[in-house]
Amino acid sequence: MEIDMRKQTDHYSGMGCTLIYLAIGGEAAGFIALADTLREEAYDTIQKIRSGGVTPVLLTGDHESAARYMADRMGISEVYANCLPEEKLRKIEEYQKEGKQVCMIGDGINDAPALKKAYAGIAMGQIGSDIAVDAADIALINDKISELPHLLSLSKRMMRTIRCNLAFSMTLNFIAIILAITGVLNPVVGALVHNAGSVLVIVSSALLLK
């Protein structure tokens, strides 16, 4: 029985489980295997994030086997286990020194320093600790991690829209100023052109609502 139990514990240990051994009268009677559960949408979410040009990295305080097991199931190749809060913070600083923008996602007290240090911090609004929510820039109220790819895509499109609006408005105003100097535009037409440009910028921004 002891040999069978050892084989079973080795199996569950390889899956990253935390084992609690039970004894009766000083002899081994069994064990309880505790493991984190992976959300159903986790794998698809990670793959969508990766397809958007973002590299997912797992920073966790869990032991190596648990971290590797979960990372393999999610398709994450870069894993750092047994991380203390200061180690997570230091890892983010290393990425930032390389010129990379880091988006940190966490829900625990240990994640708060890293959430604050990252370029953008996202916390779980329901299950996350109050400290993590306060430290983050964004809180997911419904805790749906499946919204993360949409959030990243929306932020990229928003920045692209801002750049296009700035380029359009500055170009339009520059042309209008030149035409006004040369006498082609009178004050009334110039005011109409300016207001028309403002309306086009608003309409362009409103398309983000879709």
Side-chain angles (χ1 to χ4, degrees):
M1 177 178 179
E2 182 178 347
I3 297 177
D4 292 339
M5 185 181 298
R6 186 173 300 170
K7 290 182 179 179
Q8 293 178 11
T9 55
D10 291 341
H11 171 71
Y12 285 106
S13 294
M15 295 174 59
C17 297
T18 299
L19 302 179
I20 301 176
Y21 293 93
L22 305 176
I24 300 177
E27 296 183 1
F31 64 92
I32 299 174
L34 305 177
D36 293 325
T37 56
L38 192 65
R39 297 193 185 197
E40 295 180 358
E41 68 272 23
Y43 179 80
D44 291 337
T45 299
I46 294 298
Q47 299 312 308
K48 289 178 181 178
I49 290 175
R50 191 191 301 276
S51 64
V54 179
T55 302
V57 178
L58 179 60
L59 297 175
T60 178
D62 292 339
H63 55 83
E64 184 74 22
S65 57
R68 287 290 177 185
Y69 179 73
M70 286 296 178
D72 290 341
R73 294 179 64 188
M74 291 186 291
I76 299 177
S77 57
E78 195 168 347
V79 184
Y80 300 95
N82 300 310
C83 291
L84 297 174
E86 56 269 24
E87 292 173 330
K88 294 181 180 180
L89 187 63
R90 185 163 56 249
K91 181 55 65 174
I92 289 180
E93 290 176 344
E94 291 177 1
Y95 283 120
Q96 291 175 337
K97 289 179 181 178
E98 295 174 0
K100 299 177 181 178
Q101 293 182 341
V102 180
C103 176
M104 173 70 185
I105 304 170
D107 60 3
I109 296 176
N110 293 338
D111 297 323
L115 287 169
K116 198 69 175 178
K117 181 66 177 177
Y119 181 79
I122 302 176
M124 303 293 110
Q126 290 184 345
I127 63 174
S129 65
D130 292 339
I131 296 178
V133 173
D134 290 340
D137 302 296
I138 301 171
L140 297 179
I141 303 301
N142 54 16
D143 288 350
K144 289 184 178 180
I145 61 174
S146 58
E147 297 293 338
L148 293 175
H150 170 70
L151 179 62
L152 293 172
S153 175
L154 179 61
S155 64
K156 289 182 178 180
R157 185 175 177 186
M158 182 185 68
M159 293 304 299
R160 185 165 59 249
T161 299
I162 291 174
R163 295 188 184 99
C164 290
N165 287 344
L166 286 174
F168 169 76
S169 61
M170 293 178 66
T171 302
L172 180 64
N173 288 335
F174 179 77
I175 294 174
I177 290 172
I178 297 299
L179 294 177
I181 292 175
T182 57
V184 177
L185 290 181
N186 57 49
V188 175
V189 177
L192 291 175
V193 171
H194 177 75
N195 290 329
S198 299
V199 171
L200 290 175
V201 167
I202 293 173
V203 171
S204 175
S205 301
L207 294 175
L208 291 172
L209 296 174
K210 292 184 179 182

